[in-house]
């Protein structure tokens, strides 16, 4: 399909009675703020976003794997649930809304051809969410069959009745129970003795709760196989979005760049916090212990590399062109569906509603909820500018 804002449209002589409205809208979309040759500032943005977003992404993972950092449990919980709120706000405000702006009914693309016959952004997001649900369900089903688990009836989960094993154990949650290493009350006040210290050194239970599960036990392999696929889908959804905004920052200039640069530093850092927080609670078998670091680094590198590519293509890449709108709109809608499902189901429902090990400590619950809503609210506010 050709670009509707091509050379045939003469902006200096427009006959409103005969010129298609779509030509006018496409022209206005294409007449954005141009690159202004501030090469040094653009290069600086690459390294600033790389360092800040990567460091924030690594923080939750370090908290659960490096005991000597002595990160308080409250700090970790804040980061984890603040990040969950960020992911949910990103889905609705930073992905679904821009998808409407790129391919929605009132956009340049949405007024042409088959795009004008239907509101595609919610349809694409819905399809994406349902596909992710199917993949998540199949992964869960595969793990249950492989390890001989029996899925507990929902009545047993709600009423805390004995599960299928008859011993009061919710066997259906065996693959998910290790998601909540910092949510358990039954060990909250216990004291753990450090090995190799003749049991003289006592470790605070809060720090022990931040110790990540790793090793080669059957439980760890089961939980890893059940959860890693959903996380990879989440990260790829966020990365799609990061590529687009990185390209746009690389070609931006003037007031657009002045606004986008500081906003994207916070934007990418908060998203990275959500990625790291989600990854930090996934048990990792010994042979895959390098994977969390690689996944955090992959996220941290995505936007800086995209900025560099946009910088190199600033004379040819037009983020407001018809083709760019189609690509970014479709990717944003797909990513929105992924993050909506992951945020509401994987992060909220499983952590707060269907987690048999969820804490009953009122202060801790309050911290978790305040952090969640704070992350959601701040990320939604950032959507005012980017």
């Amino acid at each position: 399909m050709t670009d509707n804002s091509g050379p045939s449209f003469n902006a200096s002589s427009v006959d409103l009675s005969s010129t298609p409205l779509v030509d006018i809208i496409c022209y206005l979309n294409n007449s954005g703020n141009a690159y202004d040759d501030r090469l040094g500032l653009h290069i600086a943005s690459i390294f600033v976003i790389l360092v800040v977003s990567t460091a924030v992404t690594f923080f939750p993972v370090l908290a659960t794997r490096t005991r000597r950092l002595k990160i308080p449990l409250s700090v970790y919980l804040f980061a984890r649930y603040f990040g969950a709120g960020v992911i949910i706000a990103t889905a609705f405000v930073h992905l679904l809304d821009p998808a409407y702006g790129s391919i929605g009914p009132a956009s340049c693309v949405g007024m042409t051809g088959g795009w004008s016959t239907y509101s595609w952004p919610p349809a694409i997001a819905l399809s994406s969410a349902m596909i992710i649900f199917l993949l998540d369900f199949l992964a869960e089903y595969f793990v249950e069959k492989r390890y001989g688990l029996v899925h507990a009836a929902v009545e047993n989960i709600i009423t805390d009745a004995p599960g299928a094993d008859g011993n009061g154990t919710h066997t259906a949650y065996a693959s998910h129970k290790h998601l909540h290493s910092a949510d358990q009350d039954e060990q909250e006040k216990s004291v753990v003795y450090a090995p190799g210290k003749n049991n003289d050194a006592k470790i605070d239970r809060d720090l022990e709760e931040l110790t990540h599960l790793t090793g080669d036990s059957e439980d760890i392999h089961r939980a890893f196989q059940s959860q890693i696929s959903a996380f990879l889908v989440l990260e790829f959804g966020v990365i799609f979005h990061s590529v687009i905004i990185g390209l746009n920052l690389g070609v931006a200039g003037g007031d657009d760049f002045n606004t986008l640069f500081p906003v994207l530093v916070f934007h990418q850092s908060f998203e990275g916090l959500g990625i790291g927080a989600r990854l930090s609670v996934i048990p990792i078998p010994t042979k895959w212990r390098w994977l969390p670091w690689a996944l955090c680094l992959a996220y941290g590198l995505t936007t800086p590399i995209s900025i560099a590519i946009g910088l190199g293509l600033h004379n040819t890449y037009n983020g407001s062109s018809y083709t760019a709108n189609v690509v970014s709109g479709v990717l944003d809608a797909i990513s929105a569906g992924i993050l909506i499902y992951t945020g509401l189901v994987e992060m909220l429902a499983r952590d707060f509603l269907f987690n048999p090990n969820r804490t009953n400590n009122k202060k801790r619950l309050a911290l978790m909820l305040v952090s969640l809503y704070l992350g959601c609210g701040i990320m939604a506010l950032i959507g005012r500018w980017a």
Side-chain angles (χ1 to χ4, degrees):
M1 185 175 289
T2 59
D3 192 327
N4 291 278
S5 57
S8 60
F9 178 76
N10 184 2
S12 62
S13 178
V14 178
D15 184 355
L16 295 178
S17 63
S18 60
T19 303
L21 180 60
V22 64
D23 285 349
I24 299 175
I25 293 177
C26 284
Y27 174 81
L28 293 174
N29 286 343
N30 288 339
S31 57
N33 200 351
Y35 177 78
D36 57 5
D37 292 325
R38 291 185 293 176
L39 181 61
L41 194 55
H42 280 78
I43 293 177
S45 71
I46 296 175
F47 291 99
V48 170
I49 292 179
L50 171 64
V51 172
V52 176
S53 64
T54 302
V56 174
T57 306
F58 273 105
F59 171 75
V61 179
L62 285 169
T64 56
R65 288 167 171 79
T66 308
R67 177 81 60 82
R68 61 179 175 269
L69 291 180
K70 297 183 179 180
I71 296 171
L73 177 63
S74 58
V75 175
Y76 169 74
L77 288 177
F78 173 82
R80 175 175 166 181
Y81 291 102
F82 184 91
V86 165
I87 292 297
I88 295 169
T90 297
F92 288 98
V93 178
H94 295 265
L95 290 171
L96 192 57
D97 182 64
Y100 272 99
S102 297
I103 60 175
S107 68
C108 170
V109 174
M111 293 183 178
T112 62
W115 295 101
S116 64
T117 62
Y118 192 71
S119 183
W120 288 102
I124 295 173
L126 172 64
S127 301
S128 174
M130 295 307 296
I131 290 172
I132 299 308
F133 159 72
L134 181 61
L135 293 176
D136 194 24
F137 169 73
L138 291 176
E140 184 86 0
Y141 183 82
F142 168 77
V143 170
E144 288 178 0
K145 289 296 183 182
R146 178 172 180 176
Y147 291 96
L149 300 174
V150 179
H151 197 77
V154 69
E155 308 87 55
N156 294 340
I157 297 170
I158 295 173
T159 62
D160 203 27
D165 61 359
N167 296 318
T169 302
H170 298 296
T171 54
Y173 281 93
S175 62
H176 283 296
K177 66 185 297 183
H178 297 304
L179 262 174
H180 316 285
S181 59
D183 295 346
Q184 293 139 11
D185 276 339
E186 61 270 16
Q187 298 173 331
E188 185 175 351
K189 297 181 180 179
S190 64
V191 176
V192 178
Y193 293 91
K197 300 292 184 179
N198 297 321
N199 289 338
D200 291 332
K202 294 182 179 180
I203 302 173
D204 185 272
R205 183 60 210 173
D206 279 359
L207 298 180
E208 178 66 17
E209 288 186 5
L210 296 183
T211 303
H212 189 76
L213 289 175
T214 187
D216 294 308
S217 69
E218 183 177 292
D219 283 346
I220 288 177
H221 280 276
R222 181 191 308 150
F224 174 75
Q225 292 179 18
S226 176
Q227 298 166 33
I228 193 63
S229 58
F231 173 81
L232 291 176
V233 170
L234 165 66
E235 175 154 358
F236 290 145
V238 173
I239 282 178
F240 284 154
H241 178 51
S242 298
V243 169
I244 299 300
I245 63 176
L247 289 172
N248 288 337
L249 183 62
V251 300
D255 291 338
D256 278 357
F257 181 85
N258 294 339
T259 301
L260 280 176
F261 178 26
V263 170
L264 288 187
V265 171
F266 290 99
H267 182 284
Q268 291 306 103
S269 298
F270 290 159
E271 278 191 357
L273 191 61
I275 289 290
R278 176 76 179 106
L279 183 58
S280 69
V281 293
I282 300 178
I284 306 293
T286 302
K287 70 175 181 179
W288 292 102
R289 59 188 175 188
W290 55 269
L291 186 60
W293 314 108
L295 292 173
C296 289
L297 186 61
Y299 169 80
L301 289 173
T302 299
T303 300
I305 290 175
S306 299
I307 296 172
I309 293 174
L311 192 58
L313 300 176
H314 67 268
N315 289 324
T316 56
Y317 176 76
N318 183 358
S320 298
S321 68
Y322 185 92
T323 301
N325 273 321
V326 171
V327 173
S328 64
V330 171
L331 289 180
D332 280 347
I334 291 173
S335 299
I338 293 172
L339 267 63
I340 287 172
Y341 174 83
T342 302
L344 296 179
V345 177
E346 295 287 337
M347 293 182 171
L348 294 195
R350 281 180 176 155
D351 270 18
F352 286 95
L353 301 179
F354 303 118
N355 175 14
N357 296 316
R358 187 195 66 211
T359 182
N360 287 319
N361 184 304
K362 292 180 181 179
K363 290 184 178 180
R364 188 180 297 188
L365 282 174
L367 173 63
M368 292 159 60
L369 289 171
V370 169
S371 302
L372 174 71
Y373 281 94
L374 189 62
C376 194
I378 291 179
M379 197 62 174
L381 179 62
I382 289 177
R384 167 64 178 80
W385 299 278

